[in-house]
């Protein structure tokens, strides 16, 4: 299982979005480094994609809250024409601890879980 490095401030923004009640959206990247969180509903993804591309970012991941095992919520098909390389799921375990999980897939393969490493930024 490979790792996915996320800036600590980005992970905090994802957790903040979960706690606010939205819990879904897009993650933008500059030079393949995740940098921005766009909390949006599924219906607003198109507008968020336009906004992040106007800012010079690429789509890095889609994220969503998943109260149980996140495999059930991973799409079989891309969520957008950009086909983000990662899916990030925010979940709570049985003790109420928030857990971030990341998944990636290669062409023709299923989703594989990645270990998330946080870097100080």
């Amino acid at each position: 299982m490979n790792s996915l490095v996320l800036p600590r401030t980005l992970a905090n923004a994802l957790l903040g979005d979960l706690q606010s009640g939205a819990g879904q959206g897009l993650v933008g990247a500059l030079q393949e480094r995740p940098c921005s969180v766009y909390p949006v509903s599924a219906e607003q993804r198109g507008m968020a994609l336009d906004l992040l591309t106007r800012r010079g970012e690429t789509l890095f991941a889609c994220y969503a809250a998943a109260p149980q095992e996140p495999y059930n919520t991973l799409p079989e098909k891309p969520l957008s024409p950009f086909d983000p390389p990662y899916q990030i799921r925010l979940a709570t375990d049985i003790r109420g601890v928030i857990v971030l999980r990341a998944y990636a897939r290669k062409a023709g393969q299923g989703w594989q879980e990645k270990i998330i490493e946080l870097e100080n930024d």
Side-chain angles (χ1 to χ4, degrees):
M1 194 178 329
N2 296 344
S3 64
L4 172 64
V5 178
L6 294 178
R8 189 171 299 276
T9 54
L10 186 115
N12 288 339
L14 290 170
L15 295 174
D17 185 39
L18 176 66
Q19 292 173 331
S20 75
Q24 66 177 333
L26 306 177
V27 176
L30 288 173
Q31 300 175 357
E32 299 181 20
R33 178 176 159 69
C35 61
S36 303
V37 173
Y38 297 87
V40 294
S41 66
E43 297 80 30
Q44 298 170 323
R45 282 191 185 131
M47 293 184 325
L49 284 171
D50 290 342
L51 177 60
L52 71 88
T53 54
R54 281 196 311 269
R55 292 181 172 176
E57 298 177 19
T58 57
L59 180 58
F60 182 80
C62 292
Y63 72 92
Q68 303 297 324
E69 182 61 42
Y71 285 110
N72 297 336
T73 65
L74 294 175
E76 291 301 316
K77 296 182 180 178
L79 294 175
S80 75
F82 297 95
D83 192 13
Y86 298 100
Q87 295 287 328
I88 298 174
R89 293 296 178 256
L90 305 109
T92 53
D93 67 11
I94 59 173
R95 297 176 307 250
V97 176
I98 298 173
V99 178
L100 282 176
R101 289 188 167 153
Y103 300 87
R105 70 173 167 194
K106 295 181 182 173
Q109 296 180 1
W111 293 100
Q112 303 293 316
E113 188 168 2
K114 300 286 185 185
I115 296 172
I116 294 180
E117 294 181 20
L118 299 179
E119 76 176 0
N120 292 325
D121 52 343

